[in-house]
mmCIF file of all heavy atoms in Angstrom:
data_model
loop_
_atom_site.group_PDB
_atom_site.id
_atom_site.type_symbol
_atom_site.label_atom_id
_atom_site.label_comp_id
_atom_site.label_asym_id
_atom_site.label_seq_id
_atom_site.Cartn_x
_atom_site.Cartn_y
_atom_site.Cartn_z
ATOM 1 N N THR G 125 128.149 171.411 -190.317
ATOM 2 C CA THR G 125 126.920 172.092 -189.892
ATOM 3 C C THR G 125 126.671 171.871 -188.421
ATOM 4 O O THR G 125 126.085 172.760 -187.749
ATOM 5 C CB THR G 125 125.663 171.609 -190.698
ATOM 6 O OG1 THR G 125 125.420 170.230 -190.447
ATOM 7 C CG2 THR G 125 125.874 171.856 -192.201
ATOM 8 N N GLY G 126 127.050 170.717 -187.908
ATOM 9 C CA GLY G 126 126.932 170.492 -186.467
ATOM 10 C C GLY G 126 127.808 171.459 -185.668
ATOM 11 O O GLY G 126 127.393 171.976 -184.631
ATOM 12 N N LYS G 127 128.985 171.701 -186.185
ATOM 13 C CA LYS G 127 129.900 172.677 -185.540
ATOM 14 C C LYS G 127 129.308 174.072 -185.617
ATOM 15 O O LYS G 127 129.425 174.872 -184.668
ATOM 16 C CB LYS G 127 131.266 172.620 -186.184
ATOM 17 C CG LYS G 127 132.024 171.282 -185.969
ATOM 18 C CD LYS G 127 133.322 171.249 -186.726
ATOM 19 C CE LYS G 127 134.018 169.903 -186.530
ATOM 20 N NZ LYS G 127 135.325 169.869 -187.295
ATOM 21 N N MET G 128 128.676 174.382 -186.720
ATOM 22 C CA MET G 128 128.035 175.699 -186.882
ATOM 23 C C MET G 128 126.907 175.879 -185.895
ATOM 24 O O MET G 128 126.696 176.950 -185.323
ATOM 25 C CB MET G 128 127.543 175.890 -188.310
ATOM 26 C CG MET G 128 128.657 176.007 -189.328
ATOM 27 S SD MET G 128 128.005 176.178 -191.017
ATOM 28 C CE MET G 128 127.325 177.858 -190.944
ATOM 29 N N LEU G 129 126.148 174.817 -185.693
ATOM 30 C CA LEU G 129 125.043 174.886 -184.734
ATOM 31 C C LEU G 129 125.561 175.126 -183.310
ATOM 32 O O LEU G 129 124.973 175.917 -182.566
ATOM 33 C CB LEU G 129 124.224 173.584 -184.805
ATOM 34 C CG LEU G 129 122.876 173.536 -184.085
ATOM 35 C CD1 LEU G 129 121.945 174.650 -184.548
ATOM 36 C CD2 LEU G 129 122.224 172.181 -184.279
ATOM 37 N N ALA G 130 126.666 174.480 -182.995
ATOM 38 C CA ALA G 130 127.283 174.716 -181.689
ATOM 39 C C ALA G 130 127.779 176.170 -181.569
ATOM 40 O O ALA G 130 127.670 176.778 -180.492
ATOM 41 C CB ALA G 130 128.450 173.730 -181.488
ATOM 42 N N CYS G 131 128.330 176.693 -182.656
ATOM 43 C CA CYS G 131 128.776 178.087 -182.639
ATOM 44 C C CYS G 131 127.599 179.046 -182.466
ATOM 45 O O CYS G 131 127.721 180.069 -181.772
ATOM 46 C CB CYS G 131 129.501 178.399 -183.965
ATOM 47 S SG CYS G 131 131.136 177.662 -184.115
ATOM 48 N N LEU G 132 126.475 178.717 -183.087
ATOM 49 C CA LEU G 132 125.283 179.560 -182.912
ATOM 50 C C LEU G 132 124.880 179.610 -181.449
ATOM 51 O O LEU G 132 124.587 180.687 -180.932
ATOM 52 C CB LEU G 132 124.143 179.004 -183.777
ATOM 53 C CG LEU G 132 122.770 179.646 -183.563
ATOM 54 C CD1 LEU G 132 122.793 181.130 -183.893
ATOM 55 C CD2 LEU G 132 121.722 178.908 -184.428
ATOM 56 N N ARG G 133 124.899 178.485 -180.810
ATOM 57 C CA ARG G 133 124.499 178.454 -179.400
ATOM 58 C C ARG G 133 125.488 179.223 -178.536
ATOM 59 O O ARG G 133 125.088 179.880 -177.575
ATOM 60 C CB ARG G 133 124.424 176.972 -178.946
ATOM 61 C CG ARG G 133 123.917 176.808 -177.527
ATOM 62 C CD ARG G 133 123.715 175.359 -177.218
ATOM 63 N NE ARG G 133 123.083 175.183 -175.907
ATOM 64 C CZ ARG G 133 122.726 174.018 -175.404
ATOM 65 N NH1 ARG G 133 122.946 172.912 -176.090
ATOM 66 N NH2 ARG G 133 122.154 173.961 -174.212
ATOM 67 N N ALA G 134 126.763 179.132 -178.876
ATOM 68 C CA ALA G 134 127.812 179.787 -178.080
ATOM 69 C C ALA G 134 128.076 181.256 -178.527
ATOM 70 O O ALA G 134 128.962 181.907 -177.951
ATOM 71 C CB ALA G 134 129.102 179.002 -178.150
ATOM 72 N N LYS G 135 127.340 181.674 -179.558
ATOM 73 C CA LYS G 135 127.513 183.029 -180.132
ATOM 74 C C LYS G 135 128.954 183.221 -180.600
ATOM 75 O O LYS G 135 129.599 184.228 -180.300
ATOM 76 C CB LYS G 135 127.121 184.103 -179.101
ATOM 77 C CG LYS G 135 125.657 184.074 -178.729
ATOM 78 C CD LYS G 135 125.305 185.242 -177.826
ATOM 79 C CE LYS G 135 123.809 185.214 -177.450
ATOM 80 N NZ LYS G 135 122.920 185.289 -178.639
ATOM 81 N N GLU G 136 129.443 182.256 -181.363
ATOM 82 C CA GLU G 136 130.791 182.327 -181.944
ATOM 83 C C GLU G 136 130.692 182.411 -183.473
ATOM 84 O O GLU G 136 129.671 182.054 -184.051
ATOM 85 C CB GLU G 136 131.606 181.079 -181.535
ATOM 86 C CG GLU G 136 131.848 180.965 -180.043
ATOM 87 C CD GLU G 136 132.544 179.676 -179.663
ATOM 88 O OE1 GLU G 136 132.644 178.790 -180.530
ATOM 89 O OE2 GLU G 136 132.937 179.555 -178.502
ATOM 90 N N GLY G 137 131.772 182.841 -184.071
ATOM 91 C CA GLY G 137 131.802 182.972 -185.542
ATOM 92 C C GLY G 137 131.886 181.626 -186.237
ATOM 93 O O GLY G 137 132.303 180.612 -185.665
ATOM 94 N N VAL G 138 131.454 181.614 -187.479
ATOM 95 C CA VAL G 138 131.404 180.356 -188.237
ATOM 96 C C VAL G 138 132.145 180.467 -189.575
ATOM 97 O O VAL G 138 131.985 179.592 -190.436
ATOM 98 C CB VAL G 138 129.939 179.945 -188.499
ATOM 99 C CG1 VAL G 138 129.211 179.620 -187.222
ATOM 100 C CG2 VAL G 138 129.183 181.053 -189.300
ATOM 101 N N GLU G 139 132.976 181.507 -189.735
ATOM 102 C CA GLU G 139 133.599 181.741 -191.023
ATOM 103 C C GLU G 139 134.397 180.528 -191.526
ATOM 104 O O GLU G 139 134.319 180.144 -192.702
ATOM 105 C CB GLU G 139 134.521 182.958 -190.955
ATOM 106 C CG GLU G 139 133.802 184.285 -190.690
ATOM 107 C CD GLU G 139 133.510 184.503 -189.208
ATOM 108 O OE1 GLU G 139 133.877 183.643 -188.395
ATOM 109 O OE2 GLU G 139 132.958 185.571 -188.889
ATOM 110 N N GLY G 140 135.169 179.920 -190.650
ATOM 111 C CA GLY G 140 136.000 178.774 -191.030
ATOM 112 C C GLY G 140 135.152 177.586 -191.491
ATOM 113 O O GLY G 140 135.510 176.905 -192.453
ATOM 114 N N HIS G 141 134.049 177.360 -190.797
ATOM 115 C CA HIS G 141 133.177 176.237 -191.145
ATOM 116 C C HIS G 141 132.489 176.499 -192.497
ATOM 117 O O HIS G 141 132.330 175.576 -193.312
ATOM 118 C CB HIS G 141 132.142 176.010 -190.056
ATOM 119 C CG HIS G 141 132.755 175.796 -188.697
ATOM 120 N ND1 HIS G 141 133.592 174.749 -188.450
ATOM 121 C CD2 HIS G 141 132.613 176.487 -187.538
ATOM 122 C CE1 HIS G 141 133.979 174.803 -187.161
ATOM 123 N NE2 HIS G 141 133.399 175.850 -186.607
ATOM 124 N N VAL G 142 132.087 177.730 -192.705
ATOM 125 C CA VAL G 142 131.445 178.076 -193.995
ATOM 126 C C VAL G 142 132.449 177.868 -195.133
ATOM 127 O O VAL G 142 132.085 177.299 -196.183
ATOM 128 C CB VAL G 142 130.936 179.530 -193.979
ATOM 129 C CG1 VAL G 142 130.463 179.964 -195.370
ATOM 130 C CG2 VAL G 142 129.841 179.703 -192.957
ATOM 131 N N LYS G 143 133.687 178.312 -194.938
ATOM 132 C CA LYS G 143 134.704 178.153 -195.981
ATOM 133 C C LYS G 143 134.941 176.677 -196.295
ATOM 134 O O LYS G 143 135.048 176.297 -197.472
ATOM 135 C CB LYS G 143 135.997 178.809 -195.511
ATOM 136 C CG LYS G 143 137.118 178.736 -196.521
ATOM 137 C CD LYS G 143 138.371 179.443 -196.024
ATOM 138 C CE LYS G 143 139.499 179.377 -197.035
ATOM 139 N NZ LYS G 143 140.727 180.050 -196.540
ATOM 140 N N GLN G 144 134.962 175.837 -195.251
ATOM 141 C CA GLN G 144 135.175 174.412 -195.475
ATOM 142 C C GLN G 144 134.002 173.775 -196.236
ATOM 143 O O GLN G 144 134.223 172.968 -197.131
ATOM 144 C CB GLN G 144 135.343 173.714 -194.131
ATOM 145 C CG GLN G 144 135.598 172.204 -194.207
ATOM 146 C CD GLN G 144 136.886 171.815 -194.900
ATOM 147 O OE1 GLN G 144 137.721 172.684 -195.168
ATOM 148 N NE2 GLN G 144 137.029 170.540 -195.182
ATOM 149 N N ILE G 145 132.785 174.179 -195.883
ATOM 150 C CA ILE G 145 131.638 173.636 -196.571
ATOM 151 C C ILE G 145 131.588 174.036 -198.030
ATOM 152 O O ILE G 145 131.323 173.234 -198.902
ATOM 153 C CB ILE G 145 130.339 174.084 -195.855
ATOM 154 C CG1 ILE G 145 130.170 173.315 -194.514
ATOM 155 C CG2 ILE G 145 129.100 173.838 -196.722
ATOM 156 C CD1 ILE G 145 129.025 173.764 -193.667
ATOM 157 N N LYS G 146 131.937 175.299 -198.312
ATOM 158 C CA LYS G 146 131.947 175.770 -199.696
ATOM 159 C C LYS G 146 133.032 175.027 -200.496
ATOM 160 O O LYS G 146 132.830 174.709 -201.677
ATOM 161 C CB LYS G 146 132.230 177.271 -199.728
ATOM 162 C CG LYS G 146 131.149 178.139 -199.060
ATOM 163 C CD LYS G 146 129.808 177.973 -199.716
ATOM 164 C CE LYS G 146 128.780 178.884 -199.037
ATOM 165 N NZ LYS G 146 127.399 178.696 -199.617
ATOM 166 N N SER G 147 134.151 174.747 -199.840
ATOM 167 C CA SER G 147 135.246 174.014 -200.525
ATOM 168 C C SER G 147 134.796 172.581 -200.860
ATOM 169 O O SER G 147 135.005 172.077 -201.968
ATOM 170 C CB SER G 147 136.487 173.959 -199.627
ATOM 171 O OG SER G 147 137.487 173.170 -200.215
ATOM 172 N N LEU G 148 134.131 171.923 -199.906
ATOM 173 C CA LEU G 148 133.637 170.563 -200.138
ATOM 174 C C LEU G 148 132.562 170.557 -201.224
ATOM 175 O O LEU G 148 132.515 169.668 -202.061
ATOM 176 C CB LEU G 148 133.078 170.016 -198.834
ATOM 177 C CG LEU G 148 134.120 169.701 -197.747
ATOM 178 C CD1 LEU G 148 133.416 169.498 -196.380
ATOM 179 C CD2 LEU G 148 134.907 168.446 -198.122
ATOM 180 N N LYS G 149 131.694 171.578 -201.215
ATOM 181 C CA LYS G 149 130.650 171.679 -202.239
ATOM 182 C C LYS G 149 131.291 171.856 -203.608
ATOM 183 O O LYS G 149 130.843 171.245 -204.595
ATOM 184 C CB LYS G 149 129.738 172.874 -201.905
ATOM 185 C CG LYS G 149 128.809 173.326 -203.043
ATOM 186 C CD LYS G 149 127.691 172.316 -203.279
ATOM 187 C CE LYS G 149 126.741 172.725 -204.393
ATOM 188 N NZ LYS G 149 126.644 174.129 -204.719
#
Side-chain angles (χ1 to χ4, degrees):
T125 64
K127 295 176 181 178
M128 291 179 71
L129 190 57
C131 288
L132 171 60
R133 185 173 187 177
K135 296 186 180 298
E136 297 175 350
V138 295
E139 295 83 0
H141 303 301
V142 172
K143 182 178 180 180
Q144 180 65 10
I145 287 174
K146 298 299 182 183
S147 176
L148 290 165
K149 166 72 179 337

